[in-house]
Amino acid sequence: MDTFLDPGKKNCSGDEYVGPGTKDTQVQLVISLALGVSAFLAFCTLRPRWKTLYAARKRYLNPAVGLPALPDSFFGWIPALYRVTEQQVLASAGLDAFVFLTFFRMSIKLFAFIFFFAVAVLEPINRHFIPVATPNNTDSSPESLLYNRLRVSGYSAPHRNAGHAFLPLNGSDPDDGPDNSFDYNMGYLWSYLVFTYLFTALTLYFMDTETFKVIRVRQDYLGTQSTITDRTFRLSGIPKNLRNEHKIKHLVERLEIGKVDNVTLCRHWKELDDLIDERQAILRKLEETWSVYLGQKPLRPAEGRPDGAGNGNAEGANGPSDVADEEAGETGRLLRGESSNHFVERERPQARFWYGFFRLQSRKTDAIDYYSEKLRRLDEKIHAARKKTYEPADLAFVTMDSIAACQMAIQALIDPHPGQLLTKPAPSPSDIVWRNTYAGRLSRRIRSWVVTIFVSILSIVWLIPVAFLASVLSICTIETVFPSLADSLKRNEITKALVQTGLPTAIVSLLNVAVPYLYEYLSYNQGMLSQGDIALSVISKNFFFTFFNIFLIFTVFGAVTSIFDVLRNSLRDTTYLAYSLARKIEDLSVFYTNFIMLQGLGLFPFRLLEFGSVALYPIYRMGAKTPRDYAEIVQPPIFSYGFYLPTALLIFILCLVYSTLPGGWLVVFLGLIYFVLGYFTYKYQLLYAMDQPQHATGGAWRLICHRIILGLVVFQLTMSGYLALRSALTVALLVVPLLIGTVWYSFAFKRQFEPLTRFIALRSIKRDEDEGGNAILDEDFGGTGEQQRELLRRSSTIDEDKEKGLRFVNPSLVIP
């Protein structure tokens, strides 16, 4: 920040990399609207034409679900989508989609209230007490504007020996004694304290209200369905003397909690799983080889057709056989030709295989015969491998005769020895990562810790490219390397705004899109037992990246070189972190405004358009050779909550942090637009376009709530530092009780609410004698409560449909 107050000093600090400019917001608005409107119009045009992509999930969904079809008109789908109720979302997309959309609905309601107070009360106060800065010279650079804005706000140049960058003009340091809390001219700062309390209370109120609703719906939803997953629990830490199905069954039944229907003891099936994987690879190669062979042009006409014009049929070109061929299509002609022995001669594809010492020799052979023989030998090995007895692992899936018995086993301590016979809810059979079931607990724990440490180190490593890219796009850096280019940029406000904040915002957004793919790969290799656990882990990792690298680094630390200075000063002065946070938040308001604007107005329509799928489809289409390839490219894309939820949580935190600050109404307004557009975008994708195979039974809600509480803590720290920097020490200290109360609430939430997001309460379980136990109260979905009960769904849930006929058995043992 020294450079801002000393223009002659060429020291490009991290703050200048994303420093505010006069045209930045206008330029970013034009760019975002241009991107968003063009993508939205393209989606409205292509949606009725490409139903295999934009209605992929609806095409595969069971018609009994009752999800309404959207009209094909240009904008007609919007009101129809709006009218889809929460009951229909729950019945057609499940708990995870319901919880995800609940977060967006809650955010819309919360920030609508906050926006009203920010505009109607706070903004008039700020306009009256904080005049707009007017620079004394014609320099409109960010440095001069920030310098004048700070002077108007009551700050002078920094004291070189102080721990704080800016000092009030009427006092040397906030810690030196003067307290402006009771100064009449600074009385407006008390309004910031009042609204800090009010906005915190509103956030906790809405979060509590939605939490009660999510818990009620989750308990009733899971309590009214009956799947094999609901009756099964996971038993880990099984001692070696109990690693037998009959012994485990006898042990559980001796607990007198219910009868055991089935026990699946996991074993070391690595040999069998490897054979199945190898078979899949060979099968794909054989399919591809056959497709290439059949797709070639014949070298000679078919037998019995010497003239190449027919098969001796006197009907001619327009005869009944040709008509039948046309109606039957390519598949019918192919089958009929084979049955009539009208084979054609084609060039047989060749495959090269290596053999001998160190596989240094090779030769070519007929590819179809080669892969067919390999497949036959693999089938023989698999049949033999399935008859083997494998060493048992320390994990088993125990299916009880009732949901209540399963829940009692899950919520109880079975064994007095630490780490033995631990019970947890079982994932769905289709959700299990079977290779991790026979990995030892120590192995899984080591892998988990290695990945966690690697992610932590990686978060530090990300600082280097982020700071490098930001510094390369800094006017200060460009002026050092290319002075003439910097001078031309300074003469044009628009190009300067693009370079100074537009491009860093775009780079951060692109990084925010690319990094989750890496974290998803790491989560899959962390040793977790289910796809649902992996999905929740991806959410946690990606949020850590967005919060640490995009928020903390750009605010508290500013640049890589400042990290150790901030940490060192924080250890000497516990208030330094709050001062740093408050000081930098104001400086980066334009950057975060542009970031939210680009994410909401610019990128949401592209997500609706599924630009990645559209761009990659021609590539996949050209590379598709087999029927399996063609079937895969028309499958619904996968919706990953870990890719989208962390960014939404970061924007939620940013809206909270800026809600009370001068000019924060604009951030809140853009955040409100972001959540409105996000709600409609994700509602469409979750219901109609994309599939969500992972099933975490709404477990993302507890992650959402803990991140909201973290945002409240950051918000309160920022406001305390902001008030302290203005020497309103009494007002700043009055934020501390609110901070303590929020931390206490986080522990209370974990103790009281979190168990109900993991387990099913025994009273929620529907029994045969319960009347009306298969419905959820109407008031849970905002009804009037006049009706006794409203039927939630049809006779079965979407989870029951998915699990029909499933068993807890390794697919490698039973697949054809």
Side-chain angles (χ1 to χ4, degrees), residues 606-723:
F606 271 92
R607 288 180 182 152
L608 196 62
L609 183 64
E610 296 183 44
F611 182 77
S613 299
V614 173
L616 293 175
Y617 180 81
I619 300 175
Y620 291 149
R621 185 66 173 78
M622 288 186 294
K625 297 179 180 178
T626 69
R628 189 190 303 272
D629 295 336
Y630 286 106
E632 287 178 350
I633 63 177
V634 297
Q635 288 294 318
I638 302 301
F639 187 94
S640 177
Y641 297 97
F643 280 57
Y644 309 122
L645 185 56
T647 302
L649 287 168
L650 175 65
I651 291 176
F652 186 98
I653 293 175
L654 289 174
C655 291
L656 277 180
V657 168
Y658 281 99
S659 60
T660 312
L661 295 176
W665 65 270
L666 179 59
V667 177
V668 176
F669 176 68
L670 291 173
L672 181 60
I673 293 177
Y674 171 88
F675 285 107
V676 170
L677 295 178
Y679 176 75
F680 278 94
T681 298
Y682 293 138
K683 187 176 184 180
Y684 179 88
Q685 291 183 329
L686 286 167
L687 296 181
Y688 292 93
M690 305 180 78
D691 197 14
Q692 322 106 51
Q694 301 88 0
H695 185 49
T697 65
W701 185 255
R702 57 181 176 270
L703 299 182
I704 291 171
C705 291
H706 286 304
R707 273 63 181 178
I708 290 175
I709 294 173
L710 174 63
L712 286 174
V713 171
V714 174
F715 167 52
Q716 292 154 11
L717 280 174
T718 302
M719 292 311 302
S720 180
Y722 181 86
L723 295 169

Side-chain angles (χ1 to χ4, degrees), residues 438-459:
Y438 48 79
R441 277 199 305 160
L442 179 61
S443 171
R444 293 199 303 269
R445 189 168 297 173
I446 291 175
R447 288 164 63 182
S448 178
W449 276 106
V450 167
V451 170
T452 301
I453 294 172
F454 181 73
V455 168
S456 302
I457 297 174
L458 196 60
S459 296

Side-chain angles (χ1 to χ4, degrees), residues 130 147-156 166-171 180 186 188 725-727:
I130 306 179
Y147 173 69
N148 284 278
R149 180 158 57 88
L150 288 168
R151 290 189 59 83
V152 171
S153 299
Y155 290 89
S156 66
F166 297 108
L167 306 176
L169 290 171
N170 54 359
N180 293 331
M186 305 291 285
Y188 68 95
L725 281 174
R726 282 144 183 81
S727 293

